[in-house]
Amino acid sequence: MSIGTSDAPVLKQIQDFIEACNGDGYVHKTSELGSIPVSLYTDDARLSAEQANIFNKAPVIIGHVSQLPRKGDHFTFDHLGQSLLVVRGSDGKIRVFYNICRHRGVRLVSAEGVGRKPSFVCPYHNWTYGLEGQLAHIPCLETFKNDDVKGRHLVEVSSAVSGGFIFVSLDPDHPMNMDGFLGELSEDFDALGLPDQAFFKQSVRKTKSNWKLIVEAFQDGYHVVRLHRNSVGPLFMDNVADTMRIKQHIRALVARNGFAQMCHDAPKDWDVRNQLSIAYFVYPNTIIIIHPDYISQLGLFPVSTDETICVHSCFLDEEPKSDKARAHFDRAFDIIDKEVFTAEDFFVCEQAQLGMKSGVNKSFPLSQHEVGLKIFHEIINEQVGDWPAI
């Protein structure tokens, strides 16, 4: 599968990557990368600073428009320290509200997954709200003082849709400017067809590791053929990768075996999704991986220094048209979700977190194949402030 436009910024990075390679496809990186202090993964004060300066301010992806195809479709999202209600209204617009009744604060929706309703009724006293958040009905209204209940509509959270993804910001003082936030990633996402992807499947699990360790697992090509030797490793070249910072985001290219042929082909003949794995770090906590015939999106939400909620969503170019096609993507999802991400990537992140408790390591050295880790920590440190330099 190819990329849908010839001028997507990612294609320029691929061209530069090919030109920078020598005969065996290896890009020599000569910069000294230093090391990462272990305290960045274990310090409670550091995590508090990340939550205050990053997760409570930055636009964060919480879903995709394809999860809510019809009016009244909705789901809850509880991984940012607040209960949020994401709804497609009668006018077709997607809005995000605090999932809280304005009478006694009860959650309006507690069911998991996507549901559909014409309105939202509080289970406690049956206050009722429309799909646009308007207060529609109060039982025994005459028993209330009008000024106490007038205008008690659901409270909306700042949200936006870009690249097909639903972003929210919990900081009302910082308007969301998605073009300015995403930069050239917006062009990539359009070229890759992300706005038109179909939601297929999702898993939610807790991982006993710091959220940053999981981000790092998708920022280097150093581990791929080693850690994943019994799964996807044989599909990739060893240590043939390239990383680029884009505003507060990262785009990483990891060469599949077909990359060797790609280096000799004209751009019009590239089969990008089969020759390279493209992985995006979308600040502050999202990983998007472009596989050959589906897309993974991981949202990483810290619970504590050593616990993270991982939400893995799978998207397809179109809904499966047959039971055979659905079975194929079910198998593909299980392989990447259980055998690769959980059994390999998340497993070593948990083992690294356990190893930190020994106090043996005060820092982690970085090789020239781990430049993405350095870039990631520079981005995070820019937001958090005075912490040990990388």
Side-chain angles (χ1 to χ4, degrees):
M1 303 180 72
S2 60
I3 294 179
T5 179
S6 61
D7 58 357
V10 63
L11 295 178
K12 177 61 165 61
Q13 183 180 348
I14 293 171
Q15 183 68 63
D16 291 344
F17 180 37
I18 290 173
E19 293 177 359
C21 288
N22 63 17
D24 63 0
Y26 169 70
V27 175
H28 293 280
K29 298 183 183 298
T30 58
S31 60
E32 295 184 7
L33 301 183
S35 61
I36 302 173
V38 170
S39 62
L40 297 188
Y41 310 93
T42 60
D43 191 311
D44 288 335
R46 167 68 186 219
L47 178 62
S48 295
E50 291 168 353
Q51 290 171 325
N53 295 288
I54 296 175
F55 288 93
N56 289 348
K57 292 184 177 181
V60 175
I61 294 174
I62 62 169
H64 191 271
V65 293
S66 61
Q67 293 174 261
L68 306 174
R70 289 173 283 186
K71 68 178 183 180
D73 285 349
H74 62 276
F75 62 84
T76 60
F77 191 89
D78 296 337
H79 306 317
L80 285 170
Q82 302 284 349
S83 184
L84 304 180
L85 178 61
V86 190
V87 185
R88 187 179 288 276
S90 299
D91 57 0
K93 181 179 178 181
I94 291 176
R95 298 175 176 84
V96 182
F97 304 100
Y98 285 102
N99 184 26
I100 296 172
C101 178
R102 300 300 310 283
H103 177 215
R104 299 291 292 276
V106 174
R107 296 175 79 223
L108 293 172
V109 177
S110 57
E112 296 181 356
V114 174
R116 183 177 301 124
K117 293 183 178 182
S119 60
F120 299 100
V121 181
C122 177
Y124 200 177
H125 298 97
N126 291 173
W127 281 37
T128 303
Y129 303 86
L131 298 180
E132 287 74 44
Q134 72 276 21
L135 178 59
H137 175 65
I138 300 176
C140 307
L141 174 62
E142 68 280 2
T143 66
F144 288 91
K145 182 179 178 181
N146 186 59
D147 289 345
D148 289 342
V149 297
K150 183 179 179 180
R152 281 187 171 258
H153 310 299
L154 297 184
V155 176
E156 189 168 355
V157 178
S158 180
S159 66
V161 172
S162 185
F165 291 104
I166 304 166
F167 292 77
V168 298
S169 173
L170 298 181
D171 187 351
D173 296 327
H174 288 77
M176 298 174 69
N177 173 7
M178 295 313 301
D179 288 339
F181 175 69
L182 288 174
E184 66 182 47
L185 262 58
S186 292
E187 299 175 65
D188 278 8
F189 291 173
D190 286 344
L192 289 163
L194 293 186
D196 301 317
Q197 290 288 299
F199 175 79
F200 178 64
K201 211 167 188 179
Q202 186 178 86
S203 69
V204 180
R205 57 173 52 85
K206 284 187 178 179
T207 300
K208 293 290 187 179
S209 72
N210 189 276
W211 71 279
K212 296 186 295 297
L213 283 173
I214 303 174
V215 173
E216 293 170 9
F218 298 93
Q219 300 308 313
D220 76 79
Y222 183 29
H223 76 281
V224 175
V225 302
R226 296 165 182 81
L227 174 63
H228 301 306
R229 61 187 176 275
N230 295 321
S231 58
V232 297
L235 303 175
F236 290 84
M237 300 177 71
D238 188 17
N239 285 328
V240 184
D242 187 57
T243 303
M244 175 180 288
R245 176 172 179 174
I246 302 161
K247 299 177 77 70
Q248 294 171 288
H249 319 290
I250 300 172
R251 181 171 57 223
L253 310 175
V254 182
R256 292 175 171 268
N257 291 331
F259 180 72
Q261 180 61 45
M262 189 181 194
C263 290
H264 299 288
D265 289 341
K268 66 180 180 60
D269 297 321
W270 290 349
D271 185 4
V272 174
R273 288 178 64 168
N274 282 296
Q275 294 168 318
L276 286 168
S277 178
I278 307 173
Y280 293 91
F281 163 67
V282 182
Y283 176 84
N285 68 326
T286 295
I287 302 294
I288 298 173
I289 305 169
I290 313 300
H291 305 289
D293 59 354
Y294 63 96
I295 292 172
S296 287
Q297 180 246 322
L298 293 100
L300 308 171
F301 301 92
V303 178
S304 62
T305 57
D306 58 359
E307 187 171 75
T308 301
I309 294 173
C310 305
V311 182
H312 174 208
S313 302
C314 177
F315 300 94
L316 310 178
D317 289 339
E318 60 181 5
E319 288 281 351
K321 296 185 181 300
S322 67
D323 291 343
K324 182 178 179 180
R326 180 168 294 278
H328 164 75
F329 286 112
D330 279 335
R331 288 193 299 272
F333 180 81
D334 285 345
I335 289 171
I336 198 69
D337 185 70
K338 297 176 182 177
E339 298 180 24
V340 180
F341 292 165
T342 302
E344 295 174 343
D345 290 307
F346 298 167
F347 170 76
V348 294
C349 290
E350 291 181 336
Q351 297 305 301
Q353 193 74 43
L354 286 171
M356 294 179 199
K357 294 181 179 180
S358 68
V360 170
N361 293 312
K362 302 302 181 185
S363 64
F364 299 138
L366 294 176
S367 76
Q368 294 176 358
H369 298 299
E370 297 172 295
V371 64
L373 278 65
K374 178 179 174 66
I375 294 172
F376 166 62
H377 282 280
E378 288 174 344
I379 291 169
I380 298 303
N381 272 12
E382 288 170 5
Q383 304 304 313
V384 173
D386 295 328
W387 290 89
I390 304 300

